[in-house]
Amino acid sequence: MTDNDFAVRVRGLVKRYPDKVAVAGVDLDIHHGEVFALLGPNGAGKTTTLRAVCGMVRTAGRVAFRGRDLTGLATEKIARLGIAHVPEGRGTFGGLTVAENLRLGAYGRKDGVQQDLDFWYGTFPRLAERREQPAGSLSGGEQQMLAVARALMCRPALLLLDEPSLGLAPMVVREVFAVLREIRAGQGTGMLVVEQNAALALELADTAHVLEAGRTVLAGPAAEIRAEDSVRRAYLGS
């Protein structure tokens, strides 16, 4: 198979810091429209791998997106190619209103922006109620909803999600993940998800890799990973 057969193809990803090796030769093949989960303990290299895909972290190795080599491209250029990123901690613009944040997500688009705004206000009614409020005044759950909606306003081919459940109440987590499942089913948006809640990630994902100390130690269909005794003991509490 070639790079064109995949949404993302990563080969030999390595990231070294002065005091440690964060990623030590990771390979990933993410198919078009696939949900791919990265699991593992803190410090395993999950976030570094995700950030390498969108150009936030410079690494050795090669990352290709829809057949195009991303080596050396700026984050903004990679975003324009169709990769959207929801960082850990949401990353909303606190001084801008909800509506302004959403419109910023559609920057560069000319058609269908109002249609998408209406869609997201319908999907997350709390955002509609607070559309003229500064994003910084929202609750953590509302900010996560806004971050997801803003990222999807650019209609990306691939959505990167870094710890989307972090710090959220269980009810909000269920709501956000239900929307992610609907978006995947309805729009065919691929996703690369870094998530400490392995049960949630494996329920959403088609494929999963488990990283430890910067290396892939387990890889395969999410259902098979979920059934692995080592994963059940370490991450699923059973």
Side-chain angles (χ1 to χ4, degrees), residues 108-124:
R109 286 183 52 198
K110 296 181 179 179
D111 300 322
V113 174
Q114 187 59 52
Q115 177 183 345
D116 284 3
L117 283 171
D118 293 342
F119 174 82
W120 287 111
Y121 287 143
T123 300
F124 292 126

Side-chain angles (χ1 to χ4, degrees), residues 12 19 24 45 47 57 60 67 123-124 145 176 184 187 196 235:
D19 59 338
T47 290
V57 172
T123 300
F124 292 126
M145 295 173 192
V176 169
R184 187 278 175 91
Q187 299 183 10
Q196 285 287 345
Y235 303 112

Side-chain angles (χ1 to χ4, degrees), residues 7-8 30-38 50-51 53-54 65-66 78-79 81-87 90 105 120 124 144-164 176-177 179-184 187-194 204:
V8 174
I30 304 176
H31 290 87
H32 299 281
E34 181 177 34
V35 178
F36 194 105
L38 287 178
L50 182 147
R51 290 177 176 174
V53 172
C54 63
F65 174 60
R66 304 171 88 179
I78 292 173
L81 292 175
I83 296 178
H85 180 211
V86 179
R90 288 108 206 183
W120 287 111
F124 292 126
Q144 187 66 292
M145 295 173 192
L146 177 58
V148 169
R150 188 189 66 189
L152 287 165
M153 281 292 294
C154 69
R155 296 191 177 181
L158 180 70
L159 180 65
L160 308 181
L161 294 151
D162 195 355
E163 302 289 0
V176 169
F177 272 75
V179 168
L180 293 176
R181 284 191 289 273
E182 291 171 7
I183 292 301
R184 187 278 175 91
Q187 299 183 10
T189 304
M191 300 178 195
L192 174 57
V193 184
V194 166
L204 177 68

